[in-house]
Amino acid sequence: MPSKADIILGCQWGDEGKGRIVDLYAADYDVVARFGGGDNAGHSIVVGTQELALRIVPSAVMHPHVELFVGGGTVVNPQTLLGELEKLAAIGIDTARVKISDRAHVVLPHHVTRDAAAERERGSGAIGTTGRGIGPAYVDRVARDGTRFADIDDRAMLEDAARLAPHVVDGVEYIHERLNGGKRILLEGAQGSLLDVGYGTYPYVTSSHTIAGGACTGLGIGPGAIGRVIGVFKAYCTRVGAGPLPSELHDERGEQLRRQGGEFGTVTGRPRRCGWFDAVAARYAVALNGLTSAIVSKLDVLTGFERIGFVTGYRVDGRSARFRDAGASNLQVDVEELPGWSESIAGCRRIADLPAAARAYVRRIQEVLDVPVEMVSVGRERSQLAR
Ligand code: IMP
Ligand code: MG
């Protein structure tokens, strides 16, 4: 029987902590695949005292039995990938199982230059991109001027890409062989749903489809091949770069979230903007992705707040507004205040063991998402998860 592929993706503005969740879930899968984005992503996994930050290779490297696939919807900077493969090989990880779709596009030096130039041109309207050439690489793809891994030849500027040739496969055949062979496949999202080029806070978005639909186009599989869609929500909101963040806190509470959550970009080191959990944005993401369940990450970061804000509505000129109004200059948010907790939750391994206020907080999130919360993360370590 053909199998179905499950998806794990971020449902806010990225950095929801998907990497470590994928690392955990990967134990039960044969293949873990990326379907979009490139080295703008920064996925960290923590194993014991070791921290691994990956940008292109799927976050399942610690599981030797798992095949790692970089799908056709991605844009790959060969230097970044070669560097990652070297780093992994140096710590004894088998990298021969990393395969790249021949349909994936190559990020070239001129894409990086153009990314910086476009940002300068935008002036005060700059997006705050990661500067990795991601936008221009996707522009070239759509303009039909791009270079795919299938097109690598001996042009000098493609030397690095050519070194990846042993990893390049027919990406459509690769994934369908595994689906038809009944392999268990996990698809790893990059960035977050609210950075989706079509449905995010445009133009402050990335240049790819980060939502569940992007998994189909990014791998060349039909919607019927998708099984579970698991959304990761941070227990609060963060965003790196410019653009709407309706629940943003500009005071000491925002600072506290940044400090306690270690909210600095993995790729760029930029401080992330922080705010309360946003139920309007969250419900929108549930719809965009057709989520079947959710995971709440970094709940421990909220420990010590006496009261925790929870955005339940938007208003423009006193009238109720929707997510698509997130960028309105006179947007106001309705904030519900929930009681906090002060005791450490780092040791909790069952949701039932959380302090009553933390449990109530998770219940409130589940209520607005209207899908089951299957897990909560309570610390940085692999084992710090409560079910
Ligand atoms: P780009 O993807 O580099 O073009 O950046 C576009 C926007 O997406 C910027 O606001 C970036 O900060 C944001 N972004 C891109 N990748 C990530 C990510 O992996 N996590 C969080 N934000 C991201
Ligand atoms: Mg990240």
Side-chain angles (χ1 to χ4, degrees), residues 314-330:
Y314 295 173
R315 270 175 300 115
V316 174
D317 298 330
R319 267 194 299 270
S320 167
R322 289 171 275 179
F323 183 75
R324 67 121 197 251
D325 304 311
S329 59
N330 53 351

Side-chain angles (χ1 to χ4, degrees), residues 15 41-43 266 272:
D15 306 312
H43 293 167
T266 325
R272 295 180 186 141

Side-chain angles (χ1 to χ4, degrees), residues 5-12 16-18 21-22 24-26 28-29 35 185-193 210-212 215 226-233 285-286 289-297 369 371-376 387:
D6 296 331
I7 308 178
I8 292 184
L9 42 66
C11 285
Q12 292 152 325
E16 296 89 353
K18 304 171 285 290
I21 305 287
V22 169
L24 178 83
Y25 278 54
D28 299 326
Y29 289 87
F35 57 82
I185 302 174
L186 180 63
L187 310 182
E188 175 181 17
Q191 291 82 46
S193 301
T210 57
I211 59 175
I226 303 298
R228 302 202 297 146
V229 184
I230 306 164
V232 185
F233 294 85
V286 171
N289 293 300
L291 291 192
T292 55
S293 65
I295 291 172
V296 176
S297 65
L369 300 182
V371 296
V373 170
E374 59 181 75
M375 195 185 296
V376 173
R387 300 189 204 232

Side-chain angles (χ1 to χ4, degrees), residues 98-121:
V98 176
K99 301 295 181 211
I100 313 160
S101 170
D102 56 347
R103 271 69 159 205
H105 276 244
V106 183
V107 176
L108 294 166
H110 71 85
H111 292 129
V112 178
T113 315
R114 280 161 55 194
D115 194 354
E119 282 287 81
R120 271 196 306 275
E121 189 90 355

Side-chain angles (χ1 to χ4, degrees), residues 22-376:
V22 169
D23 169 46
L24 178 83
Y25 278 54
D28 299 326
Y29 289 87
D30 304 307
V31 182
V32 175
R34 278 273 303 265
F35 57 82
D39 64 359
N40 49 348
H43 293 167
S44 11
I45 54 179
V46 178
V47 185
T49 55
Q50 222 171 22
E51 167 144 8
L52 263 177
L54 298 170
R55 290 170 182 177
I56 296 172
V57 176
S59 309
V61 291
M62 300 307 290
H63 302 274
H65 75 279
V66 175
E67 294 186 81
L68 306 162
F69 184 52
V70 181
T74 65
V75 291
V76 175
N77 184 317
Q79 275 172 350
T80 309
L81 181 52
L82 286 165
E84 233 164 67
L85 295 177
E86 255 166 52
K87 194 173 73 179
L88 291 171
I91 56 170
I93 289 174
D94 164 30
T95 56
R97 62 200 163 113
V98 176
K99 301 295 181 211
I100 313 160
S101 170
D102 56 347
R103 271 69 159 205
H105 276 244
V106 183
V107 176
L108 294 166
H110 71 85
H111 292 129
V112 178
T113 315
R114 280 161 55 194
D115 194 354
E119 282 287 81
R120 271 196 306 275
E121 189 90 355
R122 291 179 189 115
S124 63
I127 295 166
T129 72
T130 59
R132 300 269 157 185
I134 303 299
Y138 278 116
V139 165
D140 281 0
R141 180 189 194 231
V142 173
R144 296 154 296 181
D145 287 327
T147 304
R148 301 172 307 164
F149 278 86
D151 308 322
I152 300 171
D153 52 30
D154 49 10
R155 270 176 288 168
M157 69 179 185
L158 294 174
E159 264 167 33
D160 287 326
R163 285 174 58 202
L164 288 165
H167 297 275
V168 177
V169 296
D170 176 336
V172 175
E173 187 181 81
Y174 177 96
I175 200 76
H176 284 277
E177 261 176 20
R178 282 156 184 76
L179 282 168
N180 292 331
K183 297 280 188 199
R184 298 163 304 169
I185 302 174
L186 180 63
L187 310 182
E188 175 181 17
Q191 291 82 46
S193 301
L194 307 177
L195 289 172
D196 182 276
V197 66
Y199 300 95
T201 47
Y202 192 89
Y204 299 98
V205 294
T206 191
S207 296
S208 61
H209 284 293
T210 57
I211 59 175
C216 290
T217 55
L219 290 163
I221 60 179
I226 303 298
R228 302 202 297 146
V229 184
I230 306 164
V232 185
F233 294 85
K234 208 182 287 197
Y236 49 97
C237 283
T238 63
R239 164 162 212 162
V240 54
L245 179 61
S247 68
E248 185 166 11
L249 293 164
H250 297 281
D251 56 15
E252 167 53 29
R253 297 171 301 176
E255 290 290 336
Q256 192 177 339
L257 283 174
R258 187 174 308 117
R259 215 170 37 242
Q260 293 184 187
E263 297 295 353
F264 297 88
T266 325
V267 175
T268 55
R270 291 179 287 179
R272 295 180 186 141
R273 299 156 58 197
C274 298
W276 299 129
F277 187 87
D278 182 337
V280 178
R283 270 195 294 263
Y284 179 72
V286 171
L288 291 179
N289 293 300
L291 291 192
T292 55
S293 65
I295 291 172
V296 176
S297 65
K298 299 184 90 163
L299 184 66
D300 54 299
V301 173
L302 295 177
T303 301
F305 279 90
E306 211 166 300
R307 307 196 70 74
I308 303 170
F310 195 88
V311 169
T312 55
Y314 295 173
R315 270 175 300 115
V316 174
D317 298 330
R319 267 194 299 270
S320 167
R322 289 171 275 179
F323 183 75
R324 67 121 197 251
D325 304 311
S329 59
N330 53 351
L331 187 84
Q332 287 185 306
V333 294
D334 299 324
V335 185
E336 190 176 293
E337 294 229 313
L338 300 170
W341 58 92
S342 55
E343 55 273 56
S344 168
I345 59 171
C348 294
R349 294 296 173 269
R350 285 167 4 122
I351 294 175
D353 295 340
L354 292 170
R359 241 175 16 243
Y361 187 75
V362 174
R363 217 176 310 123
R364 187 75 183 93
I365 290 180
Q366 173 157 303
E367 200 172 273
V368 305
L369 300 182
D370 203 20
V371 296
V373 170
E374 59 181 75
M375 195 185 296
V376 173

